[in-house]
Amino acid sequence: EAQKAYVANLFQHELGFGIGPAGTGKTYLAVAVGVTMLISGAVEKIILSRPAVEAGERLGFLPGTQDEKIDPYMQPLYDALNDFLPGKQLAKLREEKAIEIAPLAFMRGRTLNNSFIILDEAQNTTPEQMKMLLTRVGFGSKVVITGDVSQIDVPDGRSGLVGLEKKLGHIDSLAFVYLDGSDVVRHRIVADIVAAYERFTNAEARRSSARKAVSDD
């Protein structure tokens, strides 16, 4: 049901947020909606972006061309596109710039009109990067922001996704959808792992609140 609400909101609103753990279809469904809108002519291009942040590792210098350097960060977006478009059609759309995949840093200074824009792994944006992306939106565009606040890798934990609903939740044409372990569509063990982490995190939060209450007394 949460995924149905998420997809409906992506069609209905100019700006949609999908927040939840791995395996809930945040990116996959956003790409599905984007491809549908591109093929139907509702938008002229799809722009998929991610912050180029390593997950707890430092890969150092990567050899090759610019595209070869960023490809490892963008691979999950390629994987989703390959599920919806034949290889030759995808290659043609990319060659024609009807589908563009780029790191978030490349969005600065642009105005994105008539586009379906997906910012993936948004928990790894800084607040400044998030504001930059959201202010790139032009006429006739839709934006989807996806992320998992339990997997923040941005330095110092300054995530541009955390607390964003408090800042923007009052704005019309904007919707937040939250998914959880019950929405995971992967191997059963993935759902079990996500649920175990959620239980542990909630228990830790309750213990922390109890300790604070005792300390205040």
Side-chain angles (χ1 to χ4, degrees), residues 91-210:
K92 186 172 186 292
L93 289 169
R94 290 201 64 198
E95 185 179 339
E96 296 171 347
K97 301 294 185 184
I99 293 180
E100 179 182 345
I101 303 176
L104 178 59
F106 290 13
M107 296 297 105
R108 186 175 297 278
R110 300 179 63 182
T111 299
L112 307 173
N113 294 316
N114 302 312
S115 302
F116 191 91
I117 305 149
I118 300 173
L119 174 60
D120 194 34
E121 297 289 334
Q123 77 276 4
N124 287 329
T125 63
T126 64
E128 294 80 11
Q129 287 174 322
M130 178 64 76
K131 181 180 178 182
M132 179 271 289
L133 186 280
L134 293 176
T135 54
R136 300 302 94 208
V137 182
F139 295 105
S141 289
K142 283 182 178 284
V143 182
V144 186
I145 309 291
T146 72
D148 177 0
V149 294
S150 73
Q151 297 191 35
I152 294 173
D153 301 306
V154 69
D156 303 320
R158 292 183 65 248
S159 172
L161 186 60
V162 173
L164 198 60
E165 186 171 9
K166 292 180 180 178
K167 295 178 185 176
L168 306 180
H170 65 285
I171 298 175
D172 293 335
S173 295
L174 180 156
F176 284 81
V177 174
Y178 292 88
L179 303 107
D180 59 30
S182 65
D183 301 303
V184 171
V185 185
R186 283 188 182 171
H187 191 290
R188 178 191 54 78
I189 197 171
V190 176
D192 291 344
I193 290 169
V194 169
Y197 269 94
E198 288 177 348
R199 286 194 300 271
F200 182 81
T201 300
N202 292 337
E204 283 290 295
R206 288 194 296 271
R207 283 194 288 269
S208 177
S209 296

Side-chain angles (χ1 to χ4, degrees), residues 71-89:
D71 272 357
Y73 298 102
M74 304 295 124
Q75 191 59 50
L77 300 176
Y78 291 121
D79 291 345
L81 283 170
N82 284 327
D83 272 4
F84 296 108
L85 293 168
K88 288 184 178 180
Q89 185 180 10

